Amino acid sequence: MNRNKHFWWVSLMITVVMLTTAACSSSGSNSSAANYPEKPFTIVAPSGAGGGLDLTARSLSKSLANTKLVEQPILVENRPGGGQAVGLADYITKDKKDPYKLFLPSAPILINHYKKEGTSAYSHKDLTPLAQLTKDYGAIAVPVDSKYKDLPSLIADLKTNPDSVILAGGSAPGSQDHLIAMLPAYKAGVDPKTIKFISYDGGGEALTALLGGTANVLASDISGLSEYMEAGQVRVLGISAPERLPGEFKDIPTYKEQGIDAEFVIWRGLFGPKDMDANHVKYWEEKIKQLSATEEWKKELEANGWEDGYKNSADFAAFLGEQEKLIQEILKSLDMLK
């Protein structure tokens, strides 16, 4: 074989090998996407065992298994600390390429990123929103024998005599309970910096302070007040929902009904890595949508006092952008924005 023919033959073989390799690579990639999931999942809950996020992650895992919507096992891993900041940082730095590791946080991942003394360099923008799962709402409550019968009477005192009102919450200044308390006051024209807010280590301690007379008003989530309403211990003056809630909460007026243009959703949602494959995002969108229509999931929501908050990836991302602006606005009014 002369040199020219030899060169032509070698070139042909190299081309064939390259095309075959590319085809195999493409086929392997498509196969991987088509076969997803091929192994167990882990949902990272950035809270301790027994906390709200842990409970949500375990309810989700159990419901997906019981309905057989996801046949691969779903494990739950707890990474508590820093108001979700520790779990978020670990997830982003250690699991950023793994589509089998998911993350289940709530609003503090936005709050901790934007407040001055925030402990997080990351936010929802470093993740891929897959679906919003549940929603809850903020509530302003008082002891049942309080002189305050509605939100406007409380706001009037906060305007004219803020020193007479002590407000309690189960988290630190600048965190979720604090913002729930400050939002209606700020929107009603009260300077939030004049309000006496005492933070407690959890909603239980804050509620004890309210019932014991150490505080006059409590900021909390409405689902956590259900049993105390039923026992006749607290009166809820208003909720941060866009409209009245059904069932046991049907008689509680919203902020908006009482002339205060404010609402705040306490959400919990499922996220994946920032650069998650579009096919994997679609998989979880569809699974969560299907789950939200099942009796299994509806029973879980009812048992835990949660509202169905399903949003697909795009709608959830748009909502997070809106809440991000609201959180920045409230933090700025408190001189707590970075």
Side-chain angles (χ1 to χ4, degrees), residues 29-242:
S29 174
N30 290 337
S31 174
S32 178
N35 293 333
Y36 179 86
E38 299 176 293
K39 61 182 184 178
F41 290 100
T42 297
I43 297 177
V44 177
S47 72
L53 296 175
D54 173 70
L55 181 59
T56 307
R58 294 181 191 280
S59 292
L60 179 62
S61 172
K62 180 181 73 171
S63 296
L64 286 169
N66 288 347
T67 56
K68 301 190 184 305
L69 285 169
V70 176
E71 296 191 356
Q72 290 288 350
I74 303 176
L75 309 176
V76 175
E77 180 181 315
N78 298 100
R79 293 188 193 171
Q84 304 183 30
V86 171
L88 179 61
D90 278 356
Y91 180 79
I92 287 172
T93 55
K94 296 177 182 177
D95 305 318
K96 60 184 177 181
K97 299 290 186 184
D98 189 350
Y100 290 88
K101 278 278 184 84
L102 308 177
F103 191 65
L104 200 159
S106 57
I109 66 166
L110 280 73
I111 298 169
N112 286 331
H113 180 67
Y114 286 108
K115 68 179 181 179
K116 277 182 183 176
E117 297 178 3
T119 52
S120 179
Y122 306 103
S123 75
H124 68 291
K125 294 178 180 178
D126 299 294
L127 305 164
T128 296
L130 301 178
Q132 182 177 306
L133 299 169
T134 66
K135 59 185 178 183
D136 198 354
Y137 296 99
I140 303 296
V142 295
V144 74
D145 59 354
S146 170
K147 69 175 184 177
Y148 300 117
K149 308 300 182 188
D150 54 31
L151 206 50
S153 61
L154 172 62
I155 295 296
D157 266 6
L158 289 174
K159 284 182 177 178
T160 59
N161 191 14
D163 288 340
S164 67
V165 181
I166 297 175
L167 202 150
S171 52
S175 57
Q176 184 166 280
D177 282 0
H178 189 206
L179 298 195
I180 288 170
M182 297 303 120
L183 175 61
Y186 164 67
K187 291 291 187 178
V190 178
D191 181 355
K193 297 187 292 296
T194 65
I195 297 174
K196 288 183 176 180
F197 179 82
I198 300 178
S199 60
Y200 290 87
D201 188 17
E205 288 189 16
L207 188 61
T208 298
L210 179 77
L211 299 178
T214 305
N216 312 108
V217 184
L218 173 72
S220 180
D221 52 87
I222 186 63
S223 62
L225 296 174
S226 176
E227 63 179 291
Y228 302 97
M229 289 173 55
E230 188 176 337
Q233 293 178 290
V234 301
R235 177 189 304 119
V236 179
L237 302 182
I239 52 173
S240 67

